[in-house]
Amino acid sequence: MSLKPSQISVPFPKPTFPNMHTKITIEPFRIKVVEQIRLTTDEERQQYLRDAAYNPFLLKSNQVIIDLLTDSGTSAMSAEQWAGIMRGDESYAGAVSWQRMEKAVHDLTGCPYILPTHQGRAAEHLLYSRLGGPGKVFISNTHFDTTRANIEFSGATALDIPIPEARDMALEHPFKGNMDVDKLQALIRQHGPETIGAVILTVTNNSGGGQPVSMANARAVSEICKREGVLFILDACRIAENAYFIKQREQGYESHTYREIAQEMFRLADGCIMSAKKDALVNMGGFLALKNLDLAIKCRTVLIITEGYATYGGLSGRDMEAIAIGLEEVFDADYLHYRIRSTTYLGEKLRAIGVPLIWPIGGHAVYIDAKAFYPHIPVAQFPGQALVCQLYLKAGIRSCEIGSVMFGKNDENGNLIPAPMELVRLAIPRRVYTQSHIDYVVEAFRELMDERERVQGLRIVYEPPFLRHFTSRFEPA
Ligand code: F0G
């Protein structure tokens, strides 16, 4: 399908902020504790990358200078969160820390039944193992890979229906994370509502470039699900970042607080899954929150068997304290402005020097189009993996390939069936790096731009049967 940008591009306003008196967005925190970064040499990095078989997942973290592998579990916690950790109540049942976390999640999501888990995918397992099974179909704007894996592991099918605009990497659109609601309606009719396990809206849409979902889209999805009697679940791990974009770009939300926007979105759904390792600003944790008691009881049984008792799941009391506090802090207007602006800052700088990337910039990461960056490297030689390796060799920056290494499959003759896009994700940990760290990343790209023609692709010399990006081994092609 070819789209004419002029027909569908929707201009959106630039953010304005009353609290910001200068053009520079500063980090709205000062640094109390520091963690040493070991600055490696070019020679050391060549050795480390060879030892890691050209797969940065196999590097040791002290071999990395700037770690942009993920924004998950990599946040710096606040002094308040560390203070909360000292208050952690480690009682097996009914801990005070659980009461605090339960209240924080309840106040935010409106869900009465809350199940704590050690991270997001554990919550996915609780829910999708109960809702899934052979013959069941799940529909999402885009399933994150652990979501898809949990659904497929149960024997069910996972279908992605992002809006068509999302497939045009350069198209300016305010809510490229939206779900295609016409397709949703058609799919429910085609399969029958009774076969639909759930409709899952991922906010922001991580696998689609960290792009936001509008309230109007969430409302349309909710209305269809209600009418058809289908369960509607939010994958809410970046809900605060999504709320930022709604306030900035969607009419009618200018004077809402970010928290009110998130609460409104939660009201539309029947429940949510959250990896607290993102917008709850903690290093470990998650939860499943539901409005239906019967479903909650079913999931709670799996919780107690696989994670832990109902009032701690897989978490320590101290983790639950930190989550309760993080869920408050993340909606702070100055924090969210800094957060989204600092991701956009990196994206804008890279775009200005000609790096091809997904536009507009999403909430938590910048996604580089590696196929356009290295047009001479065939997809079967993994241009994304080549870029990930070059970034590491050049500057010790660790990033993540989201292309045919991660999502490609082999046909029966061993030929690659490529992923739809060859991307490299630069995910920004929350409250961790300063502007000069980000300027250093831009400088590394400037040099990589000049050396593009000389870079070779890679070939896989070992791959495991599942989730091959984590442990595959490569050599230069
Ligand atoms: N849903 C989304 C949208 C995610 O991005 C993730 C994790 C999960 C669910 C699973 O949560 O890791 O706590 O089990 N995303 C990380 C990433 C791993 O790097 O994007 P988890």
Side-chain angles (χ1 to χ4, degrees), residues 388-408:
V388 158
C389 289
Q390 291 304 313
L391 255 181
Y392 178 72
L393 290 173
K394 173 65 62 189
I397 299 162
R398 179 154 68 167
S399 56
C400 184
E401 193 261 16
I402 303 190
S404 290
V405 174
M406 191 181 269
F407 293 124

Side-chain angles (χ1 to χ4, degrees), residues 70 119-121 124 144 146 202 206 235 238 275 278 425:
T70 180
Q119 61 183 88
R121 68 198 70 184
E124 289 171 346
F144 180 67
T146 60
T202 310
N206 183 5
D235 179 337
R238 298 181 181 87
S275 165
K278 286 83 170 174
R425 184 181 76 169

